[in-house]
Amino acid sequence: MDVNAAVAAAAAIAGVLTGVIAMLAFRWSERDQKRPTRTSLHTDPVLPPGVDTVLSVLRSSAVVLDEADAVVKASSAAYALGLVRGGKLSVEPMLQMARDTRRDGEIRQVELDLPRRGTGRGEALAVSARVAPLGSRLVLLLVEDLTEARRIEAVRRDFVANVSHELKTPVGALSLLSEAVMDASDDPEAVQRFAGRMQIEATRLTNLVQELIDLSRVQNDDPLEDAEPVRVDELVAEAIDRCRHQAGTKQITMASNVWSPEGTDQDGRREGGTADLHVWGNRGQLAAALGNLVENAVNYSPARTRVGIAARRVSAPGGDMIELAVTDQGIGISDKDKERIFERFYRVDPARSRATGGTGLGLAIVKHVVASHGGEVTVWSAEGQGSTFTLRLPEAGAARDRAQQHPGLDDEAGPTDSSPYASLPAPEVLP
């Protein structure tokens, strides 16, 4: 009896000990699973304090890589440039730089041309990549987009080259003509002829320098600092007066649908239209822009044709706009030329442009003036049928209110290939 009781007691004690041991083993296993291991530390690294905040405010695209070249942190700009795809750095040269830097701790920098994602035109992104160690295990990659800076630098180089070429032409002509005058000193007729040519080249040189100054001014100045309401009929009258002599020489009739409050247009005729239109901006720049368009229309139109200037008010989401359209019956512009006519020094017909004294800067000035006033310039043209250039500018009241409520809202707008006046019939050719 006593032996049986002792055996039962021993079995009970053994069962209790087994349960305690099992419970302790279970708890130990749970704690061991929660304990960070070397593998988990390797696959889930932590950025040093403050690095995440610094990366979020950088203008450069930022990517942080761990020991396995996995992306720990990447900015939205890095994704936008296509640097990171599927959690990996997709640019092999940058990845190799990161591995080299991780190995020796040396900071590296290189400039690369990357294919632009989403385009099939072979365009490339110019970037500058800089790799540096970040702590003992991480590597930081900073990528700066240099595409726009390179484009601006290329434009600047082309501009300087074009200016040098354009200045060299009349200066060289003046030098040769002066030598011809000296050699023909005993021939009054030759001297007179060469002197006339010298006056033409001097005028061309003066116009080129003046237009370079005008282009520099409209690019650097803010025309809305001294903006005022400008009457459209006065702008039209000034543009027509500017070209009256050239038009008269070629027997070109200039007509407008804009009349003054007195009831007659600049030629004493009232042809119908919209009175009392005003735009908001710098009067001198607006007059120069419209004058350039009218002058081009006259220069590129055949004799005994017609140049028309039309104005109207149109509704727009941000307020009413004023459209000024200049229509000619000239040689027209091809589709490939329409994409480039607003470039500096670009000429549709270089020979004709030089014959008329053109510098190739007029339309570039028009584009910058209109863009700085919060408007746009559009063109419709067909070869052999003429062209219509349209200035679209904010009306005085709407533009003033918008400028006061949202300063700096207007962005530069480039030219397009369509015009609301494109469907209008060409002016009738005079007999």
Side-chain angles (χ1 to χ4, degrees):
M1 184 77 177
D2 293 336
V3 174
N4 293 334
V7 171
I13 293 173
V16 170
L17 291 175
T18 301
V20 170
I21 292 173
M23 183 178 65
L24 290 176
F26 178 75
R27 293 289 180 87
W28 183 268
S29 176
E30 280 189 334
R31 189 173 64 176
D32 190 62
Q33 290 178 1
K34 294 181 179 178
R35 181 184 304 165
T37 63
R38 222 176 252 188
T39 303
S40 65
L41 286 174
H42 173 76
T43 58
D44 189 20
V46 179
L47 290 177
V51 172
D52 194 10
T53 303
V54 172
L55 295 181
S56 64
V57 299
L58 286 177
R59 296 181 60 184
S60 304
S61 303
V63 181
V64 179
L65 303 176
D66 63 9
E67 294 174 332
D69 293 332
V71 175
V72 178
K73 175 74 176 178
S75 64
S76 57
Y79 285 100
L81 287 178
L83 303 179
V84 179
R85 296 178 185 174
K88 294 289 185 179
L89 185 64
S90 62
V91 183
E92 184 61 32
M94 296 182 186
L95 189 59
Q96 187 60 46
M97 287 174 57
R99 292 168 180 168
D100 295 340
T101 296
R102 187 185 300 111
R103 184 182 65 252
D104 56 22
E106 182 181 350
I107 298 176
R108 290 174 168 81
Q109 184 169 352
V110 68
E111 292 188 2
L112 301 170
D113 290 331
L114 307 179
R116 190 185 296 270
R117 188 174 65 174
T119 63
R121 296 174 293 177
E123 297 179 354
L125 286 173
V127 299
S128 173
R130 185 178 179 87
V131 181
L134 186 62
S136 59
R137 294 176 294 105
L138 303 180
V139 174
L140 173 63
L141 170 67
L142 296 177
V143 179
E144 189 76 23
D145 188 356
L146 304 178
T147 307
E148 184 65 15
R150 284 193 180 181
R151 187 191 68 81
I152 293 175
E153 182 61 28
V155 170
R156 183 180 294 110
R157 287 197 304 268
D158 292 343
F159 181 71
V160 172
N162 287 330
V163 168
S164 301
H165 174 74
E166 295 294 334
L167 289 174
K168 183 179 179 180
T169 301
V171 169
L174 287 173
S175 177
L176 292 175
L177 289 170
S178 64
E179 293 179 3
V181 169
M182 293 178 61
D183 293 339
S185 58
D186 56 347
D187 187 351
E189 292 184 1
V191 169
Q192 186 175 4
R193 183 172 66 255
F194 291 141
R197 289 293 305 166
M198 291 178 68
Q199 288 182 341
I200 294 175
E201 295 299 333
T203 301
R204 177 177 296 172
L205 182 60
T206 301
N207 292 339
L208 176 59
V209 172
Q210 184 59 49
E211 291 202 347
L212 286 171
I213 295 173
D214 293 342
L215 180 60
S216 176
R217 182 179 296 116
V218 300
Q219 287 181 315
N220 297 327
D221 294 348
D222 182 5
L224 300 184
E225 287 184 356
D226 301 320
E228 60 179 341
V230 181
R231 284 174 44 170
V232 172
D233 62 327
E234 293 179 352
L235 292 177
V236 173
E238 186 172 339
I240 291 178
D241 286 339
R242 170 178 170 177
C243 305
R244 191 180 300 278
H245 176 71
Q246 298 97 307
T249 302
K250 301 174 65 175
Q251 297 182 343
I252 293 176
T253 300
M254 291 188 292
S256 168
N257 75 335
V258 181
W259 69 73
S260 62
E262 288 74 17
T264 58
D265 66 8
Q266 63 280 347
D267 291 324
R269 300 189 304 269
R270 179 168 177 169
E271 301 185 0
T274 305
D276 201 24
L277 297 179
H278 293 76
V279 292
W280 181 256
N282 183 291
R283 176 186 174 84
Q285 292 190 13
L286 292 174
L290 183 60
N292 283 344
L293 292 182
V294 176
E295 186 174 8
N296 281 350
V298 172
N299 288 336
Y300 286 91
S301 293
R304 300 177 63 80
T305 56
R306 182 182 177 101
V307 171
I309 307 174
R312 67 174 183 175
R313 179 187 292 110
V314 295
S315 299
D320 289 347
M321 306 286 287
I322 302 298
E323 288 186 349
L324 281 163
V326 179
T327 303
D328 64 59
Q329 296 174 291
I331 60 177
I333 306 170
S334 65
D335 291 337
K336 65 180 183 65
D337 288 325
K338 279 191 290 187
E339 299 177 358
R340 301 190 58 190
I341 55 175
F342 291 94
E343 296 178 11
R344 304 180 186 98
F345 298 109
Y346 185 79
R347 298 180 175 94
V348 175
D349 186 349
R352 187 182 184 94
S353 181
R354 292 188 183 279
T356 59
T359 62
L361 291 174
L363 290 180
I365 293 175
V366 172
K367 174 187 173 182
H368 285 287
V369 167
V370 176
S372 63
H373 281 75
E376 63 176 349
V377 55
T378 60
V379 57
W380 171 90
S381 184
E383 291 186 86
Q385 299 182 28
S387 306
T388 297
F389 286 84
T390 303
L391 305 182
R392 186 179 173 94
L393 297 164
E395 192 174 20
R400 181 175 59 249
D401 295 341
R402 182 170 58 178
Q404 293 174 352
Q405 295 175 7
H406 307 284
L409 182 63
D410 295 325
D411 296 324
E412 180 171 340
T416 60
D417 293 333
S418 61
S419 167
Y421 292 87
S423 59
L424 295 179
E428 178 183 359
V429 180
L430 298 182

